Amino acid sequence: MGPGFLISVAYMDPGNWATNISGGAKFGTALLWIIVLASAMAMGIQIIAAKLGIATGKGIAQLCRERLPQPVVYVLWAAAELAMIATDMAEIIGAAIGFSLIFGIPLPAGAVLAGISSFALLGVRSAYKRGYRAIEFAIMALVAVIALAFVFEVFLAKPDPANVAAGLAPGIPNASALYVGIGILGATVMPHSVYLHPYIVQDRRKRLVAESGDTEDVHRRHFRFESVDTVVALFGAMFVNAAMLVVAAAALTGTGIETLEEAYVTLDGVFGGQASLAFGVALIAAGLSSSLVATMAGQTVMDGFLDWNVSVWIRRSVTLVPSIVVVALGFEPTSILVASQVALSFELPFVLIPLLYFTREEGLMGSFVNRESTTGVLGVVIALIVVLNVWLLYTTIW
């Protein structure tokens, strides 16, 4: 157990908070089914991504560089970098909001504190060079903080089981709900986690090969365990996301709440200071842990596409700048979080199409090549994302 939990952080980042709480406050539990559907899609996508890394010993970005025309590689790299910026913006702004709320400081000061904390977390980098286990334990601890906080929130909210069940029935109340729904989809299936997963399984792959040999049985056993790890971790992430929306639906529907700051204040008024404190602490844990994982993914992207090994400190500095600028300019942070998740949804095809392309190649994957049914389902998922994005663009412009 470990790599799946490292990946699961991407599915509980502050971007999820913004879209889930916005969806719950505006539309009750009506969009709960999207969280379940997107989580199921995420499990399948991440398992396939892990399979690619186990079968080939390489990541998506590296395979793109080796197997695709150079102009295509540059386009895919640019799209990936935009996704990294949107991701990091969500993580830093989310943590900044958490610091601002808990300590009662201005948002810019919270952003500076979030930036400093994210640099402090890079001290784990020394352990990362010797393997991922120390990072995995650190992330598991932060995930536990987030999950326990929302178990507590659900206990306080006491949601109506009938409303929760009704939210599992597919349906979109209106065009505004479509925008939030696509934001939930973009926040749930994360491009950087798809890039990162094939890379972080290499630590165990190398150790297993050294211990037991480079055989199909060894890799099959690795893949079975990694599949279980991924499903367990992402099921936990699905619970957290569903709990966010359900708590918002139970406590915030009809209040006109649209921001995380308003949600914090309202929870404090409805359930007391313990609820708002748990909310703020979990938000900080989500932002900082996701920021660390996003920085690792950014390194994977640059190294894979361009064969550039950039210092993690430089990488952290560059991606931090847009977040600080957005906060300094006074943009409303929750709306920026939601917009960043919609942008990530637009970026998804740029990583999912190469994933589908490589995993259906028998010459590359060997016996791990996708079944026709797997390729078909993944193709439908990609097509669904593209159609939803085109519809969103059409409704936004016209």
Side-chain angles (χ1 to χ4, degrees), residues 175 178-179 182 342 346 385-398:
L178 177 63
Y179 178 82
I182 293 177
V342 175
F346 277 97
I385 292 171
V386 171
V387 168
L388 287 175
N389 288 338
V390 170
W391 175 251
L392 177 64
L393 185 63
Y394 173 79
T395 55
T396 300
I397 293 175
W398 298 104

Side-chain angles (χ1 to χ4, degrees), residues 2-4 6-7 128 132 136 195-204 226 296 300:
L6 202 62
I7 290 300
Y128 168 43
Y132 289 96
E136 290 167 359
Y195 279 115
L196 184 60
H197 208 163
Y199 193 80
I200 60 175
V201 298
Q202 299 308 314
D203 184 51
R204 282 171 174 75
E226 185 52 38
M296 293 167 57
T300 301

